[in-house]
């Protein structure tokens, strides 16, 4: 999928396989910074929230790191970002060489280390199998690790779709909609 194919997709995008989703993110990766700039206030607020929860100098794994900007903003002593989009990872490595970025699937983690914090910022809705991704967290956490998840409320869906239609928000495919209780249950399991 290239940028022209993304533009021709119906809204919301109907991407059913992991391969289609990966191709989509590879295609939009070069435009990611432009989309972030249009919504800088939102991204600043998300970074502010994570900085209030995660002390500077912690070891942090970000699942679904995109271009790595949030991970870098946290100023971890050890920062690792994973994403299934090779193009997003290429950009992250270029922008933030002090951190490690790996092309990896959240639903099949192969890391051999644990972290103080694992963050999942606006990624749960993009996951093909959220339950499998949460099960994989056992590979990278310790009893004292904190997993921090941010995820927008489905009540925002009409506003977000309007933003896409108006060209103010990067187009997205249909999201997995999980309530706060669903997320708490998945994490508890």
């Amino acid at each position: 999928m290239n940028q022209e194919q993304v533009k021709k997709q119906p809204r919301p995008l109907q991407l059913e396989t992991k391969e289609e989703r990966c191709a989509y993110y590879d295609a939009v990766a070069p435009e990611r910074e432009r989309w972030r700039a249009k919504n800088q206030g939102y991204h600043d607020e998300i970074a502010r929230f994570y900085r209030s929860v995660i002390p500077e100098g912690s070891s942090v794994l970000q699942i679904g790191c995109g271009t790595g900007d949030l991970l870098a903003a946290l100023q971890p002593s050890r920062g690792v970002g994973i994403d299934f989009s090779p193009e997003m990872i290429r950009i992250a490595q270029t922008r933030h060489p002090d951190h490690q970025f790996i092309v990896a699937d959240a639903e099949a983690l192969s890391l051999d280390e644990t972290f103080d914090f694992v963050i999942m910022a606006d990624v749960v809705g993009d996951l093909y199998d959220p339950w499998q991704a949460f099960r994989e967290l056992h590979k990278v956490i310790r009893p004292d690790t904190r997993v921090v998840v941010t995820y927008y409320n489905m009540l925002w869906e009409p506003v977000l779709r309007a933003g896409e239609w108006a060209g103010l928000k990067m187009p997205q495919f249909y999201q997995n909609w999980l309530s706060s209780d669903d997320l708490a249950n998945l994490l508890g399991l």
Side-chain angles (χ1 to χ4, degrees):
M1 179 175 287
N2 59 39
Q3 288 182 15
E4 286 305 311
Q5 290 170 314
V6 168
K7 290 176 185 175
K8 292 177 183 176
Q9 285 282 320
R11 301 293 188 260
L13 302 175
Q14 296 186 25
L15 306 176
E16 309 220 352
T17 67
K18 282 185 186 182
E19 293 76 19
E20 289 175 321
R21 291 174 183 203
C22 184
Y24 166 75
Y25 279 113
D26 280 346
V28 299
E31 296 294 314
R32 183 73 178 126
E33 187 58 32
R34 183 176 65 83
W35 288 111
R36 277 185 59 86
K38 285 186 175 193
N39 299 285
Q40 193 61 50
Y42 170 77
H43 294 288
D44 289 346
E45 197 58 39
I46 290 293
R48 190 174 3 268
F49 165 73
Y50 276 101
R51 281 193 303 270
S52 75
V53 175
I54 300 172
E56 194 175 299
S58 300
S59 64
V60 179
L61 169 65
Q62 183 178 4
I63 296 175
C65 67
T67 58
D69 296 331
L70 176 59
L71 182 64
L74 300 176
Q75 299 179 355
S77 61
R78 169 107 172 102
V80 177
I82 67 164
D83 202 291
F84 71 164
S85 165
E87 188 59 20
M88 288 285 189
I89 291 296
R90 186 193 66 73
I91 293 169
Q93 290 169 334
T94 300
R95 292 172 56 89
H96 308 289
D98 294 342
H99 304 293
Q100 182 179 5
F101 296 97
I102 304 165
V103 176
D105 186 345
E107 297 162 23
L109 292 177
S110 59
L111 299 173
D112 288 332
E113 69 180 293
T114 59
F115 297 86
D116 299 328
F117 292 87
V118 176
I119 62 174
M120 299 173 80
D122 297 336
V123 73
V124 173
D126 286 352
L127 295 170
Y128 189 76
D129 184 350
W131 171 226
Q132 180 60 35
F134 283 114
R135 286 191 305 228
E136 291 291 304
L137 291 178
H138 287 285
K139 297 176 180 177
V140 295
I141 63 173
R142 308 179 299 263
D144 64 330
T145 298
R146 291 185 64 191
V147 177
V148 186
V149 178
T150 53
Y151 181 62
Y152 64 84
N153 187 307
M154 69 179 163
L155 295 175
W156 281 96
E157 184 69 5
V159 174
L160 296 172
R161 293 291 174 219
E164 287 178 20
W165 181 82
L168 300 173
K169 181 189 174 300
M170 186 174 82
Q172 272 189 284
F173 45 84
Y174 280 110
Q175 300 285 296
N176 292 310
W177 288 111
L178 302 170
S179 69
S180 296
D181 288 340
D182 292 334
L183 289 173
N185 286 334
L186 288 172
L187 287 167
L189 292 171

